[in-house]
């Protein structure tokens, strides 16, 4: 009888553990899905659209910008929001519901601590939070005005050029930060090698510098040069006008 009771308790614990694993996997999957939607559109804006729109004249921009950028930025901003929320939900569920760790030893490099793994999540989440803030509080408020102005939905404000410059700058910064951010997210499971905070800070600094350098090169050097083989050939230069006729000879003297 007692053995049966303990067997039932153990089965209940296993069932609860399985449920927690399922919830964590769903949150992890959602975090990946919305993250791909967010970062994919970020790269589309910076690697493709920003360079392609330079070839459009005013009437073409009035059609293209509201249709393409307006639709893409919906997925972009909500992908950012849901990536942020699902990532936060995953960590809180893991620490407070699936376990009773309550972040105890979460960033410790001592015996039994999880610092070598979770310090990478801290790194990636910090960069991701900066990027999320840029999307919702820098890029999106300005793009609302920019897209509406280009599409003729409102008058173009006097500071239109400044709005364009700031939105573009924040988007480029997000692209630079995305490279080390993604490295940090993968580092939790695949690179828990630091033995103390000194080593981990060294890893952070190196990945941040290299990652930002890669992002800067991709945005400012490579993106504008690739994929141009399908562009229509430039029209041939206009033919030079025929040379002017020589002036008539003066009449002969009599």
């Amino acid at each position: 009888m007692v053995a049966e009771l303990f067997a039932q308790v153990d089965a209940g614990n296993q069932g609860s553990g399985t449920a927690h694993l399922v919830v964590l996997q769903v949150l992890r999957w959602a975090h990946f899905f919305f993250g791909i939607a967010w970062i994919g559109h970020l790269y589309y804006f910076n690697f493709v659209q920003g360079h392609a729109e330079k070839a459009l004249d005013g009437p073409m921009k009035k059609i293209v910008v509201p249709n393409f950028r307006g639709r893409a930025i919906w997925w972009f901003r909500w992908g950012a929001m849901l990536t942020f929320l699902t990532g936060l939900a995953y960590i809180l569920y893991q620490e407070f519901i699936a376990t009773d760790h309550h972040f105890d030893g979460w960033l410790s490099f001592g015996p039994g601590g999880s610092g070598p793994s979770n310090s990478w999540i801290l790194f990636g989440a910090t960069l991701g939070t900066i990027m999320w803030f840029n999307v919702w509080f820098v890029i999106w408020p300005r793009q609302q005005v920019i897209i509406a102005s280009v599409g003729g939905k409102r008058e173009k404000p006097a500071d239109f050029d400044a709005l364009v410059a700031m939105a573009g700058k924040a988007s480029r910064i997000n692209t630079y930060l995305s490279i080390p951010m993604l490295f940090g997210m993968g580092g939790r499971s695949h690179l828990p090698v630091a033995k103390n905070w000194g080593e981990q800070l060294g890893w952070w600094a190196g990945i941040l510098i290299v990652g930002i350098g890669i992002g800067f090169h991709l945005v400012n050097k490579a993106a504008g040069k690739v994929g141009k083989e399908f562009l229509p050939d430039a029209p041939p230069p206009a033919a030079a006008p025929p040379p002017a006729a020589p002036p008539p000879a003066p009449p002969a003297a009599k």
Side-chain angles (χ1 to χ4, degrees):
M1 188 68 158
V2 174
E4 292 179 1
L5 177 61
F6 277 115
Q8 292 175 7
V9 171
D10 185 61
N13 289 337
Q14 290 178 0
S16 176
T18 300
H20 291 323
L21 290 175
V22 170
V23 171
L24 288 171
Q25 178 59 20
V26 170
L27 288 172
R28 186 186 294 112
W29 166 81
H31 188 62
F32 289 167
F33 175 82
F34 293 117
I36 291 169
W38 173 21
I39 302 302
H41 281 87
L42 174 68
Y43 290 163
Y44 165 73
F45 287 138
N46 284 275
F47 296 164
V48 180
Q49 182 178 282
H51 298 281
E53 285 186 358
K54 294 177 182 178
L56 304 179
D57 57 20
M60 292 175 68
K61 283 186 177 180
K62 190 171 183 178
I63 298 172
V64 170
V65 169
N67 274 283
F68 285 82
R69 195 191 304 179
R71 295 173 189 271
I73 208 164
W74 188 93
W75 293 100
F76 173 69
R77 70 181 189 273
W78 285 110
M81 178 63 75
L82 291 170
T83 302
F84 177 80
L85 292 177
T86 53
L88 181 61
Y90 179 91
I91 294 297
L92 294 177
Y93 190 95
Q94 183 183 57
E95 293 298 312
F96 291 98
I97 300 176
T99 69
D100 59 354
H101 293 165
H102 296 184
F103 291 99
D104 182 39
W106 203 73
L107 292 175
S108 172
F109 284 84
S114 303
S117 296
N118 290 330
S119 57
W120 280 117
I121 284 293
L122 177 63
F123 176 75
T126 300
L127 297 180
T129 301
I130 294 170
M131 294 166 60
W132 165 82
F133 181 90
N134 279 343
V135 169
W136 277 92
F137 301 102
V138 180
I139 297 171
W140 171 232
R142 288 162 177 79
Q143 284 292 353
Q144 291 183 76
V145 178
I146 294 167
I147 296 171
S149 298
V150 173
K153 292 287 188 179
R154 57 163 293 166
E155 293 293 326
K156 185 179 289 188
D159 62 344
F160 180 82
D161 291 341
L163 294 175
V164 172
M166 189 62 206
K169 182 179 180 180
S171 186
R172 290 190 298 274
I173 288 172
N174 273 10
T175 306
Y176 306 155
L177 294 180
S178 72
I179 309 296
M181 180 274 293
L182 291 171
F183 190 99
M185 292 300 180
R188 185 190 198 191
S189 298
H190 303 291
L191 198 66
V193 296
K195 298 178 179 62
N196 51 62
W197 271 109
E199 290 185 12
Q200 188 62 56
L201 290 173
W203 275 102
W204 286 3
I207 296 303
L208 192 64
I209 293 170
V210 172
I212 289 176
I214 292 172
F216 183 88
H217 177 79
L218 290 174
V219 172
N220 298 287
K221 304 296 182 181
K225 298 178 181 179
V226 299
K228 300 173 73 172
E229 64 269 22
F230 300 105
L231 297 179
D233 296 330
K254 294 182 180 180

